[in-house]
Amino acid sequence: MVCLVSRTGRQFQRYNKGRRQVVGCIPYRLKISSDGTINDEFEVLVISSQKGHALMFPKGGWELDESVEEAASRESLEEAGVVGNIERQLGKWDFLSKSRGTFYEGLMFPMLVKEELELWPEQHLRQRMWMKVDEAREACRDWWMKEALDVLVQRLSSPSIMEEDKTIPLISIC
């Protein structure tokens, strides 16, 4: 069962040295050929901002009662309506919030999507779109999310990193 209500409010949010901590995911999937076989390409899922003027990856506040991985998974469910496997952290970025004028700390994770839900909490507030990596990099509003995408691309296409983490599939980027 999936909860169809997003968490709201900031009273239970985590802060580090005065900076609100936000956690996000880059949901991705392996492309399937017309004959039903998995090929060596992948796509990423981007979502619209609540006002619909920008594209980004799902992200939001990390709350006190959850692990960082649980927060990443929750944000992907609430904002994009996807569930999957959270993988090793891509990195941490300090960025200036455009709407609030304060610095935030953003942590990003890849999520190998296992299921795309028909109903999800923010389906009436956001659009979701699967894109090729180069399209998503161009469309994404935030520089730090573009950098996280670059880290994911490097990780998924690097045989040396595959030796360090056997759980990540080796695929090439088109």
Side-chain angles (χ1 to χ4, degrees):
M1 177 181 280
V2 173
C3 178
L4 292 179
V5 178
S6 294
R7 287 188 174 192
T8 59
R10 298 224 163 120
Q11 66 271 28
F12 299 114
Q13 300 278 300
R14 290 179 188 252
Y15 289 83
N16 183 17
K17 298 177 185 171
R19 295 179 182 207
R20 181 173 172 239
Q21 293 182 298
V22 297
V23 179
C25 272
I26 300 178
Y28 74 95
R29 68 181 179 189
L30 304 176
K31 287 188 70 175
I32 299 176
S33 301
S34 58
D35 65 0
T37 60
I38 296 174
N39 65 33
D40 62 354
E41 294 179 38
F42 76 96
E43 296 176 311
V44 294
L45 185 68
V46 296
I47 60 169
S48 63
S49 62
Q50 285 189 351
K51 294 180 182 175
H53 302 299
L55 294 177
M56 63 189 65
F57 297 111
K59 65 113 178 89
W62 177 12
E63 300 195 0
L64 296 171
D65 66 342
E66 59 192 355
S67 70
V68 67
E69 294 86 3
E70 289 169 336
S73 184
R74 177 181 50 77
E75 289 297 334
S76 295
L77 171 69
E78 288 178 357
E79 295 185 353
V82 291
V83 294
N85 298 337
I86 301 293
E87 298 172 346
R88 191 168 36 97
Q89 183 177 318
L90 296 168
K92 179 170 62 173
W93 290 264
D94 290 327
F95 64 95
L96 182 65
S97 167
K98 289 180 172 51
S99 63
R100 300 205 180 258
T102 59
F103 281 95
Y104 285 13
E105 180 180 270
L107 297 92
M108 291 294 286
F109 293 81
M111 172 192 270
L112 179 58
V113 173
K114 297 296 184 186
E115 185 178 1
E116 195 171 341
L117 305 174
E118 290 182 34
L119 301 173
W120 71 97
E122 298 186 17
Q123 71 184 43
H124 299 295
L125 298 172
R126 302 179 186 274
Q127 299 295 312
R128 62 183 179 190
M129 292 149 261
W130 287 101
M131 294 184 169
K132 292 182 180 180
V133 169
D134 57 340
E135 296 170 335
R137 187 182 293 110
E138 181 70 27
C140 187
R141 173 187 70 187
D142 299 313
W143 65 268
W144 64 281
M145 288 187 175
K146 291 180 185 192
E147 284 188 10
L149 180 58
D150 291 341
V151 173
L152 176 61
V153 168
Q154 181 182 13
R155 183 181 293 176
L156 292 178
S157 60
S158 173
S160 63
I161 293 177
M162 288 299 298
E163 291 304 313
E164 296 172 20
D165 189 345
K166 303 283 189 205
T167 64
I168 298 173
L170 177 62
I171 54 181
S172 63
I173 312 307
C174 294

